[in-house]
Amino acid sequence: MSAADEILDVVDEHDRVVAQLPRGQVYAENLRHRCVFVRARDAEGRIFVHRRTPTKLIFPSLHDMFVGGVVGAGETYDDAALREAEEELGVSGLPRPEFLFKFLYDGGAHGTWWSAVYEVRCELPVNPQVEEVAWHAFLTEEEVEGHLGDWKWVPDGLAAYERLRAPRAAD
């Protein structure tokens, strides 16, 4: 089964399921669905950052400071967060990611999706999926901040990152 054939829950503005359709159709028709974002940190607290492969259906070749993806039909956000983190990092046995918050992302021409944001500590050696990740490194927060202006980032991940930074900026 291709990624475009994966069945997703289509949801309303209150995150209630209203249909189940193939991912390709959901993307083509810009239907609201669910995604998870997991900020993975290594034992030193550095953030896993990667550049997506050019073959990705959405936001190809852009950098991201989260691993994650779509929530499958009938799947919980929590289960999707663990599944996506283990798949993209290429590990098994991660602790369950900690839920931080959820927001409705508006991607304009790309559609909208409910976005659940998590964090997990990954002290295992990573072996990211070559189909998903073209490049990766663990970077300090200062290094991530330093690249915000000179790397092209996925807009939904950047929106989640800005929301994570907001409480710090208020302090």
Side-chain angles (χ1 to χ4, degrees):
M1 175 170 72
S2 75
D5 296 327
E6 179 183 4
I7 303 298
L8 305 183
D9 287 333
V10 177
V11 296
D12 66 13
E13 66 275 8
H14 303 290
D15 198 18
R16 294 181 299 226
V17 177
V18 296
Q20 292 184 329
L21 297 168
R23 182 198 294 215
Q25 182 179 352
V26 170
Y27 284 9
E29 297 178 19
N30 291 329
L31 301 174
R32 189 176 296 115
H33 56 285
R34 295 171 170 162
C35 290
V36 292
F37 299 79
V38 183
R39 180 168 59 178
R41 292 183 180 270
D42 68 4
E44 287 79 43
R46 297 174 300 178
I47 301 167
F48 180 83
V49 176
H50 67 282
R51 189 176 65 251
R52 296 163 62 90
T53 59
T55 57
K56 295 293 286 179
L57 286 174
I58 188 168
F59 308 136
S61 300
L62 298 184
H63 288 86
D64 200 349
M65 66 278 290
F66 296 94
V67 295
V70 296
V71 178
E75 187 176 32
T76 67
Y77 283 108
D78 288 351
D79 289 343
L82 180 59
R83 175 184 55 77
E84 286 284 351
E86 288 188 338
E87 283 177 7
E88 283 196 34
L89 294 170
V91 301
S92 61
L94 279 179
R96 186 161 286 278
E98 175 190 354
F99 174 79
L100 302 176
F101 61 90
K102 186 171 82 168
F103 70 102
L104 180 60
Y105 174 75
D106 184 352
H110 291 289
T112 64
W113 44 91
W114 279 102
S115 307
V117 180
Y118 292 79
E119 186 164 76
V120 71
R121 179 74 57 157
C122 179
E123 298 183 3
L124 304 164
V126 299
N127 184 25
Q129 290 179 310
V130 295
E131 305 83 22
E132 304 270 338
V133 177
W135 168 90
H136 72 279
F138 280 97
L139 303 179
T140 65
E141 291 205 33
E142 293 77 21
E143 290 170 320
V144 171
E145 292 279 333
H147 287 295
L148 289 179
D150 63 346
W151 287 356
K152 289 190 165 231
W153 297 89
V154 296
D156 57 350
L158 200 52
Y161 186 73
E162 292 296 329
R163 282 171 171 79
L164 277 171
R165 288 176 35 186
R168 287 197 315 234
D171 290 341

